[in-house]
């Protein structure tokens, strides 16, 4: 721990300078990052470290009465215990549930982002551990891309492939003349890439695109989504209505004299079915700009003009991931791909479609695509699973059936929940409902770094280290770096690595050798690095050996950068480079999906009314569409207590962005405490007035640590309000962006925010 070295985080790479013994090291951003961001630089501030879990802790009622007495979960004080006690209790409870109810009663989905680092990835360690003791009920897909991840492989490509193969910014800069972004390209989101954003490229990419003369359009409810100064066009559109506009653009393209079927005939299937729908042969409604205007409020002439422009220029059509995190979220993605196919530029430099320029840093990278170092997880003998966003449904409705991706499955009966590296009290919708569901299992075990809402809702809390407190390897897809993440400081309190925690649980359950394979962390790092190095060598790139890499600290792959065009091979030769869809082509109509006869996801893109939206009668009671978008100053709930995150709050509460005219009508001034409410819950927030948000829309970012007092969240967590209903029976994806709320000024003295208080501890009374 002597000289300066590196550490990777999802939001960037740090240069770490150790300090004197007993003092925190100092963190700065990677010097070669052209657009570093401040997230996490202040994570060692005492106001943050005071919230670390220092010792294992057990909920009072669970300690006194054992499993199954759940009333006090999330309410009772904790009792700190020593590691041996905690591990004995945990291992014997796992053994009890396994023996009495079987491994199908253990939920180990443990969805969440955990921390960067290829070995100590907490979720992976948990899965590996449970695989060695007979398996666990897993979760599939993500909250990020619930609907998209299930739909896209049927019609064009799987999302991992897609994310890693987007056309690079250097190509866009040279060729794109018109960039149309549904949801814009919000730079705040490009701060992050899973496993370690290296050098932040989107700001520069957008700027150079603009300087090269491209016209950039942001279509969405939020106006300031296009980077520096937001110089660009903004077409406001109410949330969840994009599909109607995209269909109308397709109608315009279809009726343009320049429309050419060439690409559709050679590279797609099913266009005629879609065409029949567009012109009204299916439901008697032609999807004209005038039709779309009624739904979207976007003037028909503006849609007509834009539709024509799509054919006049080299056009990139892009959608934010948020569009599919909604009721019928499959439709905007499918419609966008269909429209891009009709425009005919897929596979041409700078043309076609993008799914999430602006969702993460990785999109648009020109770094090489290499296989990552991986920690093997073994195999899971348990077949039962859930789509991750069906968590409460599973806990509340064991034995009930659900549809997913063409199949019918059954919710298992869960007795034990174990989470490491995720926070359901951050990520899940309708937290009031989740609390009821969460009270069902006999026992909840959580490995956590901080006393955050998920730790507070556990029975047994096992304190985990942070990446600064352990050795690891940083590597993220197309981020161009291998990072030797050398331990920068000793663990705080008695925190232990998740690997060590699971190794000790494995010891108590008799599978320690299988779990560790006799290797310590350094042994594992060398093994997974060397395996990755061999695979990379097969792609013609030589990496140094592990010792050399560890000494150097960083491998920079930029000398291997190359411009990239998504689907270029497929365009050139659709037979030799066929897609992994049933037909090998882009499926504008999918026989497979149509065959499942799902009323909420038919065989081609359609407009379906969202469960809640501004066009719904519920809007009379709850007249605001709530967007719960990604937070600028943190990653989800991670690092919410940092000074940087807190500096974005209004008197300690999360800001809710409101249109000025709406606020005036409600008598709300900038900085006021307001209450957001609907039939599901209530929360407080601080009003931030803006012209860059449509009337009728409210924007409250996720991530404020849930701080309930009765049915009121005092801090501003939008998941107190969101709807816990699946996007469709195809995907069962998260539909958080489909949510209506009412808003009023909070009168009187607002209750203080308690989210960052330390939990109440009791001493163990023998
Ligand atoms: N309303 C609404 N809800 C949403 C979204 C939305 O747009 N709107 N977005 C959704 C999306 S896209 C996502 S991806 C999810 C994100 O949801 P999560 O990924 O669950 O959120 P995080 O706050 O990142 O949770 C990660 C947790 O892991 C802990 N952790 C970090 N490193 C370690 C470690 O090494 N060991 C252990 N044991 N723990 C560790 C952190 O302290 C943190 O509590 O939220 C979803 N929820
Ligand atoms: N700083 C930071 N960056 C992050 C994250 C974070 O927590 N912090 N989380 C990361 C994760 S896990 C993910 S999955 C990605 C998510 O990436 P996204 O899902 O794309 O992110 P959001 O911020 O939810 O939405 C992006 C924008 O879409 C717009 N939008 C929302 N609904 C609609 C709609 O119906 N129509 C239109 N046209 N626009 C709409 C909103 O203006 C919003 O600003 O972000 C990643 N980036
Ligand atoms: Mo996500």
């Amino acid at each position: 721990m002597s000289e300066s070295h590196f550490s990777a985080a999802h939001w960037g790479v740090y240069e770490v300078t150790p300090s004197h013994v007993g003092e925190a090291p100092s963190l700065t951003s990677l010097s070669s990052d052209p657009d570093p961001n401040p997230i996490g630089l202040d994570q060692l501030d005492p106001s943050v470290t005071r919230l670390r879990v220092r010792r294992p802790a057990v909920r009072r009622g669970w300690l006194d009465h054992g499993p199954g007495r759940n009333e006090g979960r999330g309410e009772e004080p904790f009792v700190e215990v020593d590691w041996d006690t905690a591990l004995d209790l945990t291992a014997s409870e796992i053994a009890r549930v396994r023996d009495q109810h079987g491994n199908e009663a253990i939920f180990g989905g443990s969805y969440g982002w955990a921390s960067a680092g290829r070995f100590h990835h907490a979720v992976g360690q948990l899965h590996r551990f449970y695989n060695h003791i007979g398996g666990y009920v897993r979760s599939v897909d993500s909250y990020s891309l619930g609907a998209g991840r299930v739909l896209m492989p049927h019609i064009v490509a799987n999302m991992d492939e897609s994310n890693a193969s987007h056309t690079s910014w250097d190509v866009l800069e040279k060729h794109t003349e018109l960039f149309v972004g549904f949801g814009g390209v919000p730079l705040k989101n490009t701060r992050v890439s899973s496993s370690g954003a290296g050098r932040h490229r989107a700001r520069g990419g957008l700027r150079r695109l603009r300087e090269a003369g491209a016209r950039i359009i942001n279509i969405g409810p939020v106006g300031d989504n296009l980077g520096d100064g937001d110089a660009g066009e903004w077409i406001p559109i109410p949330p969840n209505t994009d599909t109607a506009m995209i269909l109308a653009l397709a109608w315009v393209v279809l009726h343009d004299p320049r429309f050419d079927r060439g690409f559709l005939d050679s590279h797609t299937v099913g266009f005629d079915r879609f065409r029949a729908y567009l012109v009204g042969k299916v439901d008697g409604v032609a999807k004209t700009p005038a039709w779309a205007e009624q739904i979207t409020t976007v003037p028909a002439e503006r849609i007509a003009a834009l539709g024509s422009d799509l054919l006049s220029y080299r056009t990139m059509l892009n959608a934010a991931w948020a569009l599919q995190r909604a009721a019928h979220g499959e439709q905007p993605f499918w419609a966008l791909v269909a429209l891009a196919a009709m425009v005919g530029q897929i596979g041409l430099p700078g043309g076609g479609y993008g799914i999430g320029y602006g969702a993460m840093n990785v999109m648009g990278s020109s770094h090489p695509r290499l296989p990552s170092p991986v920690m093997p997880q073994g195999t899971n003998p348990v077949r039962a699973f859930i789509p991750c966003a069906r968590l409460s449904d599973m806990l509340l409705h064991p034995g009930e059936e659900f549809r997913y991706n063409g199949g019918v499955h059954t919710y298992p009966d869960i007795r034990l929940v174990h989470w490491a590296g995720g926070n359901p009290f951050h990520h899940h919708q309708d937290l009031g409902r989740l609390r009821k569901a969460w009270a069902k299992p006999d026992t909840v075990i959580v490995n956590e770094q901080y006393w955050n809402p998920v730790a507070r809702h556990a029975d047994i809390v096992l304190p985990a280290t942070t990446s600064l407190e352990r050795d690891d390897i940083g590597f993220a897809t197309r981020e161009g770096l291998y990072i030797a993440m050398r331990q920068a400081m000793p663990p705080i309190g008695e925190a232990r690595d998740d690997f060590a925690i699971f190794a000790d649980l494995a010891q108590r359950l008799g599978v320690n050798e299988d779990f560790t394979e006799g290797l310590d962390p350094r042994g594992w790092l060398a093994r997974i690095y060397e395996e990755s190095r061999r695979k990379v060598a097969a792609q013609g790139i030589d990496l140094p050996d592990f010792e050399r890499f560890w000494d150097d600290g960083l491998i920079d792959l930029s000398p291997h950068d190359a411009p990239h065009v998504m689907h270029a091979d497929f365009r050139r030769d659709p037979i030799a480079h066929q897609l992994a869809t049933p037909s090998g082509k882009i499926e504008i109509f999918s026989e497979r999906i149509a065959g499942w006869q799902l009323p909420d996801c038919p065989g081609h893109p359609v407009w379906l009314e969202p469960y809640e939206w501004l066009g719904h009668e519920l809007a009379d009671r709850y007249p605001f569409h709530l967007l719960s978008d990604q937070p600028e100053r943190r990653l989800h709930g991670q690092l919410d207590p940092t000074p940087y995150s807190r500096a974005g709050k209004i008197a300690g509460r999360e800001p809710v962005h409101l249109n000025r005219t709406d606020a005036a009508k409600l008598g709300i001034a900038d900085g006021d405490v307001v209450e957001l409410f609907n039939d599901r819950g209530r929360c407080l927030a601080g009003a931030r007035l803006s012209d860059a948000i449509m009337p009728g829309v409210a924007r409250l970012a996720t991530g404020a640590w849930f701080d309930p007092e009765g049915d009121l969240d005092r801090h501003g967590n939008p998941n107190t309000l969101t709807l816990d209903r699946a996007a469709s029976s195809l995907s069962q994806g998260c539909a958080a962006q489909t949510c209506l709320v009412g808003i009023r000024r909070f009168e009187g003295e607002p209750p203080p925010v308690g989210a960052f208080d330390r939990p109440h501890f009791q001493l163990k009374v023998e």
Side-chain angles (χ1 to χ4, degrees):
M1 290 191 220
S2 51
E3 77 273 41
S4 147
H5 50 264
F6 302 95
S7 192
H10 298 305
W11 45 85
V13 177
Y14 299 126
E15 295 183 9
V16 184
T17 312
S19 308
H20 301 293
V21 176
E23 282 173 29
S26 70
L27 306 177
T28 49
S29 298
L30 186 67
S31 52
S32 61
D33 187 340
D35 182 23
N37 79 74
I39 293 179
L41 290 173
D42 56 359
Q43 63 181 282
L44 297 174
D45 189 87
S47 62
V48 187
T49 47
R50 66 183 279 282
L51 286 164
R52 287 291 297 278
V53 183
R54 282 165 192 270
R55 302 191 68 207
V58 184
R59 177 170 66 83
R60 173 92 262 172
W62 198 97
L63 191 65
D64 290 346
H65 308 289
R69 295 280 292 274
N70 304 344
E71 313 82 58
R73 192 171 289 149
E75 307 282 343
E76 282 177 355
F78 286 91
V79 179
E80 292 188 328
V81 298
D82 58 42
W83 267 110
D84 270 339
T85 308
L87 291 167
D88 287 346
L89 286 172
T90 306
S92 59
E93 176 59 0
I94 293 170
R96 180 191 72 85
V97 171
R98 190 177 57 160
D99 295 346
Q100 289 181 7
H101 305 284
N103 288 74
E104 296 74 19
I106 299 174
F107 183 64
S110 190
Y111 179 85
W113 269 57
S115 289
R118 284 292 161 180
F119 171 69
H120 287 291
H121 186 249
V123 185
Q125 291 288 347
L126 181 145
H127 291 165
R128 183 177 161 84
F129 165 74
Y130 278 103
N131 282 338
H132 280 102
I133 61 155
Y136 62 96
V137 174
R138 70 195 197 282
S139 65
V140 298
D141 304 329
S142 66
Y143 283 77
S144 320
L145 281 164
R149 199 170 268 285
V150 179
L151 170 77
M152 295 298 270
H154 298 302
I155 68 154
V156 54
N158 82 53
M159 283 308 311
D160 294 326
E161 176 64 29
S162 170
N163 294 344
S165 66
H166 268 53
T167 299
S168 45
W169 282 108
D170 49 0
V171 175
L172 299 186
E173 287 156 35
K174 276 211 194 81
H175 298 276
T176 306
E177 296 165 309
L178 174 60
F179 185 104
V180 181
F182 291 87
V185 181
L187 290 183
K188 65 175 176 75
N189 291 356
T190 63
R191 290 180 154 190
V192 161
S193 254
S194 174
S195 298
R199 288 154 291 209
H200 293 84
R201 60 183 68 88
R203 186 189 304 273
L206 264 184
R207 196 189 60 235
R208 288 188 296 274
L209 183 61
R210 188 174 288 132
E211 285 167 0
R215 182 176 157 209
I216 308 179
I217 307 178
N218 166 31
I219 303 176
V222 174
D224 47 0
N225 261 349
L226 275 187
D228 299 320
D230 297 295
E233 282 170 61
W234 176 29
I235 303 182
I237 185 173
N240 294 193
T241 65
D242 304 78
T243 305
M245 176 150 173
I246 299 170
L247 292 172
L249 291 169
W251 187 94
V252 174
V253 168
L254 178 67
H255 292 88
D256 191 292
R258 292 167 296 168
F259 172 62
D260 173 357
R261 281 193 62 131
F263 182 82
L264 293 170
D265 290 336
S266 53
H267 289 75
T268 74
V269 295
F271 174 66
D272 290 326
R273 301 288 295 267
F274 181 53
R275 174 201 186 108
Y277 171 77
L278 281 182
V279 300
K281 282 198 184 133
V282 177
D283 56 2
V285 181
K287 309 304 174 296
T288 61
W291 167 80
E293 177 176 341
Q294 309 225 320
I295 294 167
T296 62
T297 68
V298 181
E301 312 80 67
R302 201 156 185 192
I303 300 177
L306 179 59
S308 163
D309 288 340
L310 301 181
L311 292 171
S312 308
Y313 300 102
R314 180 58 57 87
T315 301
M316 176 57 75
L317 291 158
N318 182 58
W321 293 359
L323 268 69
Q324 56 78 64
R325 206 172 298 116
H328 317 301
E330 295 82 2
Q331 304 310 321
F333 276 20
W334 204 347
L336 191 86
V337 172
L339 174 63
M342 291 171 69
V343 172
Q345 300 180 12
I346 293 175
L348 291 181
Y353 73 89
I355 298 288
Y357 287 105
M360 303 224 185
N361 189 46
V362 58
M363 259 66 73
S365 164
S366 47
H367 294 309
R369 188 174 167 195
L370 300 175
S372 148
V374 277
M375 170 76 176
Q377 290 183 6
T379 47
N380 184 353
V382 172
R383 304 311 315 152
F385 73 97
I386 58 162
C388 58
R390 300 279 56 80
L391 172 64
S392 294
D393 285 350
M394 168 186 72
L395 295 173
L396 290 169
H397 302 291
E400 270 185 28
E401 287 186 338
F402 65 94
R403 300 202 67 152
Y404 171 75
N405 206 11
V408 178
H409 308 271
T410 305
Y411 290 124
D413 189 358
I414 296 302
R415 301 304 178 117
L416 175 81
V417 170
H418 194 161
W419 228 286
N423 180 356
F425 287 86
H426 165 78
H427 64 235
H428 199 59
Q429 286 55 67
D430 195 347
L431 292 179
R433 183 171 187 255
L434 176 65
R435 284 181 114 193
K436 294 193 187 98
W438 197 254
K440 295 268 171 181
D442 297 348
T443 297
V444 176
I445 305 163
V446 169
N447 301 14
E448 248 302 337
Q449 300 166 331
Y450 293 95
W451 277 112
N452 63 6
V454 67
R456 287 160 196 252
H457 283 83
D459 299 323
I460 302 177
V461 182
L462 303 173
T465 51
T466 67
S467 8
L468 293 171
E469 297 163 357
R470 57 205 186 201
D471 290 338
D472 213 331
I473 296 172
F475 176 89
T477 303
R478 291 189 78 192
E479 292 292 347
L481 294 170
Y482 280 79
I483 302 134
M485 299 167 61
R486 275 159 61 172
Q487 184 183 356
M489 57 189 281
I492 286 186
E494 295 175 20
R496 303 186 65 197
D497 299 347
D498 294 284
F499 171 75
I501 296 171
F502 288 118
D504 278 357
L505 291 174
Q507 177 76 42
R508 283 166 172 76
L509 295 168
V511 293
N512 178 277
E513 271 298 301
D514 295 345
F515 177 76
T516 64
E517 296 185 35
L519 294 177
D520 62 6
R522 189 62 78 88
W524 273 108
L525 296 186
R527 181 197 280 188
I528 65 175
Y529 175 86
E530 290 298 342
E531 277 168 7
S532 158
R533 179 173 169 233
R534 270 195 296 282
K535 289 190 218 146
V536 171
Q539 286 185 218
I541 296 181
D542 288 324
L543 301 177
D545 67 21
F546 179 74
E547 294 305 327
R548 176 74 196 287
F549 158 60
W550 199 253
D551 283 347
D552 291 353
L554 205 64
I555 300 173
D556 186 349
L557 298 159
S558 349
H560 304 280
D561 288 0
H564 180 78
V565 177
M566 182 155 82
H567 296 312
D569 292 345
F570 169 64
R571 183 179 188 100
R572 204 175 49 250
D573 187 342
I575 307 299
H577 297 281
Q578 60 172 279
L579 303 176
T581 60
S583 60
K585 296 183 178 180
I586 295 173
E587 304 220 345
I588 295 176
F589 181 91
S590 162
E591 294 287 351
R592 191 196 268 164
I593 293 176
W596 293 331
Q597 300 189 323
L598 308 172
D600 52 5
C601 190
H604 60 74
V606 290
W607 161 251
L608 295 167
E609 202 185 315
Y611 316 134
E612 297 183 0
W613 64 300
L614 291 174
H616 194 281
E617 58 186 26
L618 192 67
D620 295 341
R621 260 201 298 152
Y622 301 127
F624 289 89
H625 196 123
L626 180 71
L627 293 180
S628 46
D629 66 330
Q630 312 293 320
E632 178 177 356
R633 289 170 174 265
R634 56 186 176 258
L635 174 70
H636 316 134
Q638 294 191 51
L639 302 178
D640 189 33
T642 57
Y644 180 64
S645 174
R646 291 195 207 197
K649 308 217 180 205
I650 296 179
R653 286 171 235 267
E654 195 60 22
V656 58
H657 297 249
L658 297 174
N659 181 278
R660 274 180 213 289
T661 47
D662 285 338
K665 281 187 220 150
L666 296 169
I668 293 170
D670 197 74
D672 280 354
V673 175
V674 295
E675 183 185 333
L676 286 74
F677 57 94
N678 61 19
D679 293 340
R680 295 178 286 268
R682 305 191 289 142
C683 76
L684 301 182
R688 167 94 345 125
L689 308 194
S690 162
D691 297 317
I693 186 158
M694 278 183 83
V697 178
R699 175 160 78 94
L700 176 66
T702 62
W705 283 11
F706 180 49
D707 182 33
E709 184 185 64
D711 72 336
L712 179 74
D713 166 58
R714 299 170 289 187
H715 194 189
N717 186 317
N719 279 326
T720 50
L721 300 155
T722 48
L723 175 69
D724 185 12
R725 179 170 166 192
S728 77
S729 57
L730 178 81
S731 65
Q732 300 288 353
C734 164
Q737 308 304 344
T738 296
C739 177
L740 291 178
V741 299
I743 300 176
R744 57 190 164 222
R745 198 165 167 268
F746 188 85
E747 304 296 343
E749 187 61 34
V753 179
F756 302 137
D757 296 344
R758 285 177 42 80
H760 188 53
F761 293 103
Q762 277 181 359
L763 290 179
K764 188 169 180 200
V765 186
E766 298 299 337

